[in-house]
Amino acid sequence: MAPLVLTLLIIGAIVASFMGIQPLASVKDKAIALITDPFIIDEEEVQALESKVIALVNEVREENGLAPLERNSFLDTLAREHCDYMKSANLCNHDGFYSRADQIMQTLGAYYVGENIADGYYSASSLVEGWLDSPRHRANILDSGFTKTGIGYVDGYACQTFSD
C-alpha cells in the first residue's frame, strides 16, 4: 500500500511541477530521479547505512569471541573512493587493491590488510548477510588479525577495508 501512495504522490508532484505550481516545481528533479532510480539515498542515509554495517559486523565478531573493529576515517575514505570507482566502471571489482593496501600500510603502519566488496545491496542487513554467506568475505569479517575497518557505500556499491 505504501509504495502505491508514494508513487501517486510522486506522479502528482511531477504533474503539478510541469504545470508550474510552486513550490512543487522545486521537487520535479527529485521526483523524476526517484522514478528512474528508486535506490537513490541521501548522504545522511548513506552514513546511517555505513554505521549500521559496522555495527552488524561487530555484532558477528563479538558473537564469535572477537574484539570489535575500530572504525578508521582513512579506511573509510579509501573504501568510498573505491565505491566511486566501481560505480563509474559499472563493475564490482578489487581493481587497485594493492595500491590501497600500500597506502594503508604507509599511512597506518599496517602489516595486514583485507577488503570486502559487493554490489546490488540496498540495506545494511542484506549486505552483511551477503558477506557472511560468502566464505572469503566471512573470513575477513572474522579475522582476529584485523583491528580497524572502514566502510564505503555508493549507489549499491559497497567496500569494507580492514587492517591490523
Side-chain angles (χ1 to χ4, degrees), residues 69-146:
L69 297 168
E70 175 189 329
R71 190 165 184 185
N72 179 279
S73 62
F74 180 72
L75 295 175
D76 281 344
T77 299
L78 291 179
R80 285 186 190 120
E81 287 173 355
H82 188 57
C83 289
D84 283 331
Y85 168 77
M86 290 190 294
K87 180 184 175 188
S88 70
N90 196 28
L91 182 65
C92 186
N93 61 53
H94 288 284
D95 288 358
F97 172 73
Y98 293 110
S99 175
R100 283 188 298 287
D102 187 53
Q103 289 177 12
I104 292 167
M105 291 176 185
Q106 295 294 321
T107 303
L108 301 180
Y111 291 97
Y112 191 47
V113 177
E115 177 177 270
N116 284 351
I117 59 168
D119 72 338
Y121 292 94
Y122 296 94
S123 75
S125 58
S126 65
L127 173 59
V128 173
E129 282 179 33
W131 280 337
L132 291 172
D133 288 343
S134 161
R136 286 185 170 176
H137 294 105
R138 183 182 189 84
N140 278 341
I141 289 171
L142 296 177
D143 192 319
S144 62
F146 293 134

Side-chain angles (χ1 to χ4, degrees), residues 3 6 10-11 44 60 108 122:
L6 178 62
I10 291 170
I11 291 169
E44 191 174 295
V60 171
L108 301 180
Y122 296 94

